[in-house]
Amino acid sequence: MKFDLIFLISNVFHVFNIPILMQLRLGEFTADKLDLIEDTKGNAGDSGRLIITNLRVIWHSLLLPRINLSIGYNTFITVNSKTIHTLQGRHTQALYILASFRNCRYEFIFTNQGSKSTRHYTSVIGIYRAYTSSKIYREIKLRSGIMNENQLTLLPQETVHSTLQDIWNLSLEQGNIGTFIVTNIRLVWFADMNYQFNISIPYFTIANITIKNSKFGPTLVIVSTESSGAYILGFRVSPPEKLYILYKEVSTLFKTFEKCPIFGIDYTFEHEAPLQREINIEQYSEKEDNQIENLNVFGYYFSEGISQKKPNITDYLGLAAEKPKETSTLQNIWELIPQN
C-alpha cells in the first residue's frame, strides 16, 4: 500500500501538469466545491475552481485545467482569512494558507470573485480542524489515552472484530503480556498490568504484515510505512494455530481497508449554503502554447518572511543577490517574469 505518493497522501503540495492526477484517491471525497475562485498569488485575474476534500485543497484554472494546485492538509502551518486589496481596487476577505515543504515555506491566497460568500475559507478552515483532530486514524500512537475504564474507546465508524488475551508484545527484550484488539480501522495492544502501556496501529500506517521466526518462536510481524516511522512490531501468539488465524484475519481486514480506507475526517456544515453555479470546464479548449513551459513555478508562492541571508555577486545577473531557496535557482526565478 503506497501512501507516499504526493497526490495520494496529502503530505505535500504539488503543481500538476496532468489533470488526471487531480482525481480523488480511494477514501477521498469532495466536501465542498466552488467556482469563480482566484489563485491570487500565482494566477491573479484567472477564474478557477476550488475543490475541498477531506485530504487536501485543489485549485485549477477553468480555462486551462492543466494549471492547478494540490495542497495537502499535512503541509499546513496556518490557515485563516486575510483582508487583501484586489486588482479591482476593493478590499475582500481571502483564504490564506501558509504551508511548508522541504524546508521551504509557501503562501497561497484564494479570493472569491463571484460573491460575498465566505465558504472559500470557512469550509477549508472547518475541514482542516476536522483533519487535525482525527490523526489517530492515520498515525501510530504510543502510550496514548485510548483506554477508558479498562475498555478501548472506539472511534466513529470503528467496530471490533476480535479480542485476544495473553498476546506478547516483543518490542522489548523480555516482552510484555497483554490484550490484542483487531478492528476495521486499526490494531491495538495494551499491557494487562498497565493499560497506559499501549499502542494503536492504524492500517493506514502499515506497509507489510508477515509471520517470521524469532527467538520467541513464530511471531506476527507488522512493519509500518517509512512516513510513519518504519517501525517493526512483533507479537507472539500461542498456540501457532491461533497465530495463523489471527494473521489471516488481520491480512483480510488490511486488504479491505486498502480498497475502502477510512480516514476519520468528518465535517458537517453549520448551515446549508446554496450551491454555486458550476461551470463546465469541458466547454473550453486549451490553446496551444509554443513557449517552453516553466516547470519551476514554486517561486510564485514563496513566503517572503524575514531574510537572514547576505547578498553575493552572481555571474548570472552580474548583480548582488541573495541565494534562492533550495527548490529554485536564480535563472528559474528570472524566467518567472513574463516575456513579451
Side-chain angles (χ1 to χ4, degrees):
M1 183 162 47
K2 299 294 185 181
F3 288 111
D4 53 348
L5 297 178
I6 48 185
F7 69 97
L8 294 184
I9 194 174
S10 77
N11 266 345
V12 303
F13 76 83
H14 196 60
V15 183
F16 296 117
N17 289 313
I18 307 175
I20 194 173
L21 297 184
M22 291 193 297
Q23 292 181 359
L24 305 188
R25 59 147 297 160
L26 293 175
E28 185 178 15
F29 61 85
T30 298
D32 204 359
K33 181 165 56 177
L34 299 93
D35 285 332
L36 302 178
I37 302 298
E38 175 188 273
D39 169 24
T40 303
K41 191 160 187 182
N43 295 279
D46 188 3
S47 183
R49 174 175 295 158
L50 189 70
I51 302 171
I52 306 162
T53 83
N54 57 328
L55 299 178
R56 54 180 169 156
V57 173
I58 303 169
W59 179 91
H60 68 79
S61 166
L62 288 172
L63 185 61
L64 295 173
R66 62 185 172 83
I67 300 176
N68 51 73
L69 293 165
S70 175
I71 316 168
Y73 295 135
N74 209 43
T75 64
F76 282 23
I77 299 175
T78 59
V79 54
N80 50 45
S81 61
K82 186 175 184 179
T83 302
I84 65 168
H85 189 265
T86 66
L87 295 175
Q88 292 75 27
R90 60 186 178 90
H91 288 85
T92 186
Q93 287 292 106
L95 168 66
Y96 173 80
I97 298 172
L98 179 63
S100 176
F101 175 53
R102 293 181 180 173
N103 299 320
C104 292
R105 290 192 172 193
Y106 301 89
E107 293 177 329
F108 301 90
I109 299 173
F110 299 100
T111 56
N112 196 326
Q113 297 176 319
S115 67
K116 297 181 180 180
S117 171
T118 61
R119 278 171 54 197
H120 61 297
Y121 58 84
T122 55
S123 291
V124 173
I125 293 173
I127 295 173
Y128 175 63
R129 287 174 179 170
Y131 178 88
T132 56
S133 64
S134 59
K135 289 186 176 181
I136 194 170
Y137 287 82
R138 305 177 303 277
E139 295 181 0
I140 294 176
K141 298 293 183 181
L142 299 170
R143 300 176 184 257
S144 59
I146 60 175
M147 306 298 295
N148 183 25
E149 296 182 355
N150 303 338
Q151 296 291 326
L152 174 65
T153 302
L154 294 180
L155 304 171
Q157 306 181 66
E158 184 175 27
T159 57
V160 174
H161 282 257
S162 63
T163 302
L164 291 84
Q165 307 292 334
D166 302 328
I167 306 299
W168 288 85
N169 184 338
L170 307 179
S171 57
L172 300 176
E173 284 297 323
Q174 71 275 15
N176 286 275
I177 193 167
T179 301
F180 194 88
I181 302 175
V182 180
T183 82
N184 61 321
I185 292 173
R186 56 181 171 163
L187 305 175
V188 175
W189 178 91
F190 61 88
D192 291 340
M193 300 299 294
N194 180 7
Y195 295 107
Q196 295 307 309
F197 181 37
N198 56 60
I199 182 169
S200 172
I201 315 167
Y203 294 125
F204 180 80
T205 65
I206 296 177
N208 190 27
I209 303 172
T210 58
I211 293 178
K212 292 185 177 181
N213 288 320
S214 69
K215 66 180 181 179
F216 299 98
T219 302
L220 178 69
V221 177
I222 299 171
V223 181
S224 72
T225 59
E226 185 176 348
S227 60
S228 63
Y231 294 105
I232 300 176
L233 306 166
F235 299 93
R236 182 186 172 211
V237 183
S238 297
E241 293 80 8
K242 187 177 178 181
L243 169 63
Y244 284 95
I245 291 173
L246 175 61
Y247 168 73
K248 184 175 181 180
E249 178 186 22
V250 171
S251 298
T252 300
L253 289 170
F254 177 53
K255 291 177 181 178
T256 301
F257 185 89
E258 282 185 306
K259 296 177 181 177
C260 188
I262 300 173
F263 297 118
I265 303 150
D266 187 22
Y267 178 74
T268 303
F269 290 98
E270 294 181 0
H271 57 85
E272 290 294 333
L275 294 175
Q276 293 189 1
R277 180 179 65 88
E278 183 173 312
I279 299 175
N280 183 9
I281 63 174
E282 293 181 358
Q283 63 183 298
Y284 297 99
S285 59
E286 296 193 13
K287 299 178 181 179
E288 292 291 334
D289 189 354
N290 294 326
Q291 286 186 332
I292 299 175
E293 189 158 353
N294 180 23
L295 299 180
N296 190 15
V297 297
F298 290 101
Y300 282 120
Y301 303 97
F302 277 141
S303 175
E304 300 298 333
I306 300 176
S307 176
Q308 302 293 333
K309 298 179 181 179
K310 295 181 180 180
N312 296 309
I313 297 295
T314 66
D315 295 334
Y316 180 72
L317 296 177
L319 300 169
E322 291 182 1
K323 185 179 179 180
K325 305 283 186 177
E326 292 181 2
T327 56
S328 187
T329 64
L330 283 174
Q331 182 175 355
N332 287 330
I333 293 175
W334 184 258
E335 289 172 354
L336 290 173
I337 302 175
Q339 301 294 322
N340 293 328

